[in-house]
Amino acid sequence: LEVCAVALFFGIALSRSFLKTKETHAVLDRISLLLMALSTAIFFISLIGFYDLANTIAFFVGLIGPIVMISAAIIRWRQGYKPARYYMAAWIVLCFSIFCFSASGVGFIGYSFVVENLLSIGTSLESILLSFALADRIQVLRKERAKLKEQERRLTELSITDELTGLFNKRWYSSKILSEIEHARRLSMPLSLMILDVDHFKKYNDTYGHASGDRVLAELGRIVSASVRQSDIPCRYGGEEFIIIMPDADANDAMLIA
């Protein structure tokens, strides 16, 4: 009974973790926790010698547990969690083989070589299906991890990029300029800084509207990006003001770019 209780506890715990019922289905998760608590009770009740009570609880958990796990797998599959389909199939195969084996023992179905080995066959098939389920789960986790990395990359890009012009924003300039100065000083390399300002931009906005002004700034951002070197750092400092950090560029290089 103690071994049975441990097997039931970890089997239900595995199902709860694999199907992620805690995050996706509160009712099934509570039932799973209840069955795990009953499995723990079986272990301790058996240890103190109440075997009949422990047997009764074990039969209850053994009957209800597979039904709950198969139901949870079906629900998770319908929610779009693909690994649940293999998990559901594994439980169905195991329960079917146990039922047929038990039914042959009490004479409900005829005894044969297949029935005799059905439990071993069912257990083997269950292991294969669980392997498929695990492989599918790993694939899902990889996709989720890749998606998270892409979201992090996008958020980082948004945090340092000016949305209108596509250039780096003032925050990035403020963090970058000091490190570039220190780098140039340490290696005794030239460093140039270009400041650009669009003349009479307020008058242009007042005459043609802010939407037209935004198009001017966006076009200017494109021109700046196309005109600087790959190592340069073009930034929109604010409004119609732009700054370009030019590492390893002396006055002649900077003038040529300007």
Side-chain angles (χ1 to χ4, degrees):
L1 276 174
E2 290 86 352
V3 175
C4 175
V6 172
L8 287 170
F9 180 89
F10 285 105
I12 297 167
L14 173 64
S15 299
R16 180 172 177 259
S17 174
F18 187 87
L19 298 173
K20 299 192 288 189
T21 56
K22 183 178 180 180
E23 298 88 357
T24 58
H25 203 289
V27 174
L28 284 173
D29 190 64
R30 292 193 191 98
I31 295 173
S32 299
L33 289 173
L34 174 61
L35 293 175
M36 290 169 64
L38 289 174
S39 300
T40 305
I42 294 168
F43 183 86
F44 288 106
I45 291 172
S46 177
L47 281 180
I48 61 177
F50 292 96
Y51 299 114
D52 291 341
L53 178 59
N55 265 320
T56 301
I57 299 174
F59 281 128
F60 174 78
V61 175
L63 177 65
I64 299 299
I67 296 174
V68 172
M69 294 305 105
I70 292 172
S71 300
I74 292 172
I75 291 171
R76 293 293 287 122
W77 186 15
R78 293 185 64 184
Q79 289 176 343
Y81 185 59
K82 291 183 178 180
R85 67 189 189 275
Y86 292 117
Y87 199 80
M88 175 191 67
W91 271 101
I92 291 174
V93 167
L94 181 63
C95 290
F96 177 76
S97 62
I98 291 173
F99 173 79
C100 291
F101 182 80
S102 301
S104 68
V106 295
F108 285 162
I109 60 176
Y111 186 79
S112 66
F113 176 80
V114 174
V115 172
E116 180 184 0
N117 294 278
L118 194 58
L119 193 58
S120 299
I121 296 170
T123 304
S124 300
L125 286 175
E126 183 207 19
S127 299
I128 294 171
L129 289 168
L130 286 177
S131 298
F132 286 154
L134 182 59
D136 219 4
R137 171 77 183 276
I138 292 172
Q139 186 66 21
V140 169
L141 290 174
R142 284 177 178 171
K143 289 180 180 179
E144 289 176 351
R145 189 176 294 112
K147 186 177 180 180
L148 285 174
K149 285 184 177 179
E150 176 61 23
Q151 289 175 344
E152 289 175 2
R153 186 198 65 78
R154 180 60 179 159
L155 287 173
T156 301
E157 184 179 288
L158 290 173
S159 69
I160 64 175
T161 305
D162 176 65
E163 185 178 1
L164 180 61
T165 63
L167 305 179
F168 292 107
N169 57 25
K170 182 178 179 180
R171 179 189 301 171
W172 180 247
Y173 163 78
S174 299
S175 66
K176 196 70 177 172
I177 185 61
L178 295 178
S179 63
E180 289 296 334
I181 291 173
E182 178 59 29
H183 180 74
R185 181 183 291 118
R186 187 171 63 253
L187 300 180
S188 299
M189 295 171 57
L191 174 68
S192 296
L193 188 71
M194 184 190 302
I195 302 176
L196 306 173
D197 182 85
V198 182
D199 291 339
H200 313 299
F201 188 69
K202 183 179 184 304
K203 182 178 180 182
Y204 184 90
N205 268 339
D206 293 341
T207 304
Y208 299 103
H210 288 279
S212 182
D214 286 347
R215 287 194 292 271
V216 169
L217 293 175
E219 178 64 13
L220 182 57
R222 187 194 64 79
I223 293 171
V224 169
S225 294
S227 302
V228 299
R229 305 169 304 170
Q230 188 173 1
S231 59
D232 295 335
I233 305 169
C235 308
R236 184 186 180 192
Y237 191 75
E240 71 277 20
E241 299 170 339
F242 299 83
I243 290 182
I244 303 172
I245 304 173
M246 294 174 286
D248 198 22
D250 57 21
N252 291 330
D253 295 329
M255 186 60 69
L256 180 61
I257 295 171

